Structure formats: structure tokens, C-alpha cells
Amino acid sequence: NAGVTQTPKFRILKIGQSMTLQCTQDMNHNYMYWYRQDPGMGLKLIYYSVGAGITDKGEVPNGYNVSRSTTEDFPLRLELAAPSQTSVYFCASSYGTGRTSYEQYFGPGTRLTVT
Amino acid sequence: AQSVTQPDIHITVSEGASLELRCNYSYGATPYLFWYVQSPGQGLQLLLKYFSGDTLVQGIKGFEAEFKRSQSSFNLRKPSVHWSDAAEYFCAVRESGGYNKLIFGAGTRLAVHP
């Protein structure tokens, strides 16, 4: 199993550009998450999904959009990139209801710089 | 509201010394608690977790943590630190709203002197 994979690893965007961060998991997890990590701030939840077609906002959703058309994929879309979106982005997944294992499994991250 | 506090932003220890990283949580019921480690340029890896039962839990890489309800704490310990333990450590609590959402502390960066 590859686990959770993310592409790209690094990206530099100009202000106002758009891009999609890709996330795929091969563990058949129902739940998936997007976080951003800023120095000294820990991880903040952007969006999450509890299954294909079902998404909801986290703590810091402004400036982002998500979709979940399959169990495996959970892309994060940045529209009109701003310098405040410079961050490291992590995708994670976990089992859904009916399981007793609650931990999340993380991808390697995407480092995004907006200039 | 639930929260996690890691009081130490940065800790430096000598190789072979013991280590304790502090974590305090705010939660009314019995919490589900986690410690994750992030090596430079990497994603987060689960070290250990506490759901119920024995309050001293063992994890990978020789780490352990003790849940103390009276102190709302879940401190991470290791008896002898190795240079490869230099990393950032995050404590997290599962949100009461479900869907396995986690609330993370701000992290503690560990440096190890040879």
C-alpha cells in the first residue's frame, strides 16, 4: 500500500493564480481531511469529507474548495491565490464508523509559496 | 471548546538524556489522545494513542505517554533520546463532534545535541 499520496511536493504560485493539490489514498478509508501547517500554529483543518459526494468546512476554509467524487481522491482547489495561503498542506485519511481505529494517516505534504 | 496546549515550543536535550514533552487538553469526557511526530520535510507519523484502559501507553521508537485525568495531561516520554529523535512533536485530541477530526497543539520542536 502506498498509503496517502500528494502531488505536487512543491509549488510556487503568483498572486491570483489557481491550482489544485491532489490527494489519493489506497486504504479504502471513508474519511479524508485537508490541513494547512504554519510555523508555531500546529495543523488547522481546512475541509474534510466523510465519503464520496460529502464534504464539509473545517476551521479555515476561506479561499479553498474541495470535491470528493471517489473514495480514493480528495483534491483541494485554491482559487485566486493570496500570499496568506503560503503554507504546507497535508492530506490525511482515516477509517469511518464501525471501526475502533480513530487515528489519521498523513501524506508527505505539499509546500506552497504564493508570491 | 476543546483545545490542546503544548507549553514548550522548543526543547533541546543531549543524546542519551531522558525526555518529557508536555501536553494539556481541554475536554469534558474521556478524550481520545494522540502523539504524532514530524521529521523534517516529512508528513506526520503516529507515535501512540490513548482511548481507554491502562493510562500508560507504549508507542513506536521507544516512546511512551501517560494519561492523567486529574491534570488533563498526556505527556510523552522517552528514557534515552537518540539523535534521530530530533523532529517536531504534535499532541492531538479527537473532536467530540465525530468524524475522527483532530485538534492539534502547536507542536514542540526537539533538538538533540551529540
Side-chain angles (χ1 to χ4, degrees), chain A residues 26-76:
Chain A
D26 63 359
M27 297 174 282
N28 202 32
H29 286 170
N30 287 335
Y31 298 165
M32 296 186 74
Y33 315 85
W34 274 107
Y35 294 92
R36 59 176 290 169
Q37 182 185 29
D38 301 300
M41 301 294 290
L43 279 74
K44 301 294 184 186
L45 183 65
I46 305 171
Y47 271 95
Y48 67 100
S49 169
V50 301
I54 307 170
T55 63
D56 204 352
K57 296 177 181 178
E59 185 180 357
V60 290
N62 291 346
Y64 307 95
N65 277 299
V66 294
S67 59
R68 182 110 179 261
S69 57
T70 67
T71 299
E72 295 78 19
D73 300 306
F74 189 41
L76 178 71

Side-chain angles (χ1 to χ4, degrees), chain A residues 13-17 80-83 114-115:
Chain A
L13 279 183
K14 294 189 185 304
I15 294 171
Q17 287 185 322
L80 300 175
V114 182
T115 62

Side-chain angles (χ1 to χ4, degrees), chain B residues 32-55:
Chain B
Y32 294 166
L33 294 159
F34 307 84
W35 274 101
Y36 283 87
V37 60
Q38 183 183 27
S39 298
Q42 304 295 314
L44 278 71
Q45 180 184 21
L46 181 69
L47 280 177
L48 48 78
K49 60 190 177 186
Y50 172 79
F51 294 160
S52 63
D54 193 348
T55 56

Side-chain angles (χ1 to χ4, degrees), chain B residues 43-76:
Chain B
L44 278 71
Q45 180 184 21
L46 181 69
L47 280 177
L48 48 78
K49 60 190 177 186
Y50 172 79
F51 294 160
S52 63
D54 193 348
T55 56
L56 185 64
V57 294
Q58 303 296 320
I60 62 171
K61 305 186 181 189
F63 284 91
E64 67 178 26
E66 186 171 14
F67 170 64
K68 292 186 177 180
R69 183 188 301 276
S70 62
Q71 298 177 19
S72 297
S73 69
F74 188 56
N75 294 350
L76 182 71

Side-chain angles (χ1 to χ4, degrees), chain B residues 99-113:
Chain B
Y99 304 127
N100 296 342
K101 290 188 288 180
L102 298 178
I103 298 170
F104 284 87
T108 297
R109 184 167 296 278
L110 174 67
V112 180
H113 279 177

